[in-house]
Amino acid sequence: MDGFPTNPEPLRISLARALELKGWAHEADIVRSAEIDITLESHDNWNGGIDYYGLGFRVPLEAFAKIEAGLEEFEKRILQTAQIFWRGIDNEGISSVVVHPAALTASGARHAVPAVLPPFWAAGQFRLFLSHCSSQKSEMARLQSALQQFGVSAFVAHVDIEPTKEWELEIARGLQTMEALVAILTADFPESKWCDQEVGIALGQGKLVIPVRVDVNPYGFLAKHQALVARQGELGVLAPTIVELLLRHDSTAISMTHAIVRAFADSWNFAMAKTLISFIESLPTLSAEHAKLLAGAIKENDQVRYAWGVPDRVRQVLVRHGFKRLAA
């Protein structure tokens, strides 16, 4: 291993073979069927600095059910075998293995079941990483604030990392647990090795990347992505457009829908309720859970209940999606 590993597939393949050679064929089969994440868990300053990684394995639900009773011993065998690949490396180590079931998206595809999330992500909100240069610190704070009312928790390194934290570790955690990334393409963006790495990690993970052209066009692997266009000092107004993209994209639609319904249900003023109802009306599908949140909002949240015209619009949404009883 050399630096933060962004492609875990070679390790997964090698680990499965090593388990097989040790006679643990069942463990090898599980690892082969799993999706793997490598997470930078902690950093020790001793002896020049040591990074400790954790391995996360997402396995099909049927396979997980068969190993659940002996899960602790199962994880111990994988950890013991995985540590072989870190032998002789002084500044890195493997400290944990966690095996958990993969959840299903609406299309039936597996996706990660997140572990305990870093505290900079707001609970129940969409997790969006803002990749930017330090020259945009104040602009990013405004965009972060604008996104919040839509149920988007935006990670801004210069705002969200406590001064006492290892900032590289916190950025790595943000990248590991984000659901999408926005790249703010200012003139100094191509010169920043950190920004390019952040975009590369997002693309490598198959996450949605939204480029925003401020001074330069998307380049490299981003060149094929359609960019939003913004001017300096006006990035905050992009929030609604970013949310619309998140609601439309296959990889983010489910999570963003949940986030914006919750945000609407928790509206803290009339203006917020009136803004968000337009997005609620545009949703192509509505789950029973979301319908209950909307119905509860017009009964229990005064900022929704007394927002002029909003309760009637909610009832119309409920009826259109087949929830007539909740609209009554």
Side-chain angles (χ1 to χ4, degrees):
M1 309 292 290
D2 183 18
F4 190 78
T6 60
N7 181 11
E9 279 304 294
L11 174 63
R12 185 180 67 84
I13 295 169
S14 300
L15 180 57
R17 180 57 177 157
L19 288 164
E20 189 174 54
L21 291 172
K22 295 179 74 170
W24 291 332
H26 183 50
E27 285 81 354
D29 288 342
I30 292 293
V31 169
R32 285 194 183 95
S33 71
E35 297 170 350
I36 180 174
D37 293 316
I38 304 180
T39 305
L40 183 59
E41 291 196 331
S42 62
H43 178 81
D44 191 328
N45 289 321
W46 183 81
N47 195 29
I50 304 176
D51 292 328
Y52 291 101
Y53 295 96
L55 302 184
F57 294 90
R58 304 189 298 276
V59 303
L61 186 58
E62 295 81 1
F64 182 82
K66 294 178 181 179
I67 64 173
E68 188 173 7
L71 188 60
E72 185 174 342
E73 184 63 27
F74 189 90
E75 292 171 335
K76 187 181 299 183
R77 288 179 178 177
I78 296 178
L79 175 61
Q80 177 185 347
T81 307
Q83 287 173 334
I84 295 172
F85 296 99
W86 270 264
R87 286 180 60 84
I89 300 176
D90 294 332
N91 63 337
E92 293 180 0
I94 174 72
S95 58
S96 68
V97 165
V98 176
V99 179
H100 51 77
L104 297 177
T105 66
S107 64
R110 283 186 285 153
H111 69 89
V113 179
V116 177
L117 293 172
F120 48 72
W121 296 123
Q125 295 192 352
F126 187 91
R127 303 187 298 278
L128 183 66
F129 192 104
L130 299 182
S131 181
H132 65 286
C133 293
S134 58
S135 61
Q136 303 301 303
K137 179 178 179 180
S138 59
E139 279 284 278
M140 291 303 95
R142 284 192 284 271
L143 179 57
Q144 181 185 48
S145 178
L147 286 164
Q148 186 180 19
Q149 73 162 330
F150 294 96
V152 175
S153 178
F155 176 82
V156 179
H158 299 88
V159 175
D160 293 311
I161 297 178
E162 299 175 21
T164 56
K165 296 279 188 179
E166 293 284 347
W167 68 276
E168 290 184 28
L169 178 60
E170 291 298 280
I171 290 175
R173 286 173 173 165
L175 291 167
Q176 286 284 333
T177 53
M178 68 182 174
E179 295 175 281
L181 179 144
V182 168
I184 308 298
L185 301 178
T186 50
D188 46 356
F189 193 95
E191 307 304 319
S192 169
K193 294 180 180 180
W194 285 104
C195 290
D196 273 349
Q197 286 190 54
E198 290 164 359
V199 170
I201 289 172
L203 292 173
Q205 292 177 346
K207 301 290 177 64
L208 171 64
V209 175
I210 301 173
V212 176
R213 183 194 184 283
V214 179
D215 300 310
V216 296
N217 290 317
Y219 58 90
F221 289 114
L222 271 183
K224 64 180 180 180
H225 292 69
Q226 182 67 38
L228 300 179
V229 179
R231 293 188 297 182
Q232 285 284 3
E234 298 180 358
L235 291 176
V237 303
L238 285 177
T241 305
I242 290 172
V243 170
E244 288 175 0
L245 291 174
L246 296 175
L247 285 170
R248 291 202 306 263
H249 198 273
D250 289 344
S251 69
T252 55
I254 292 175
S255 184
M256 187 63 238
T257 295
H258 184 68
I260 202 163
V261 170
R262 287 183 61 91
F264 174 79
D266 295 336
S267 293
W268 56 76
N269 56 45
F270 297 152
M272 183 175 176
K274 290 178 180 178
T275 296
L276 295 186
I277 186 59
S278 296
F279 288 84
I280 301 300
E281 290 171 327
S282 70
L283 296 176
T285 60
L286 198 68
S287 69
E289 177 189 0
H290 295 153
K292 289 178 182 178
L293 284 171
L294 295 176
I298 60 177
K299 295 177 182 178
E300 300 168 8
N301 185 343
D302 288 348
Q303 303 306 314
V304 175
R305 184 179 181 183
Y306 296 116
W308 189 84
V310 171
D312 286 340
R313 293 169 70 179
V314 171
R315 293 186 184 97
Q316 291 171 14
V317 169
L318 293 172
V319 170
R320 186 168 70 251
H321 288 282
F323 298 100
K324 292 182 180 180
R325 291 181 60 186
L326 290 175

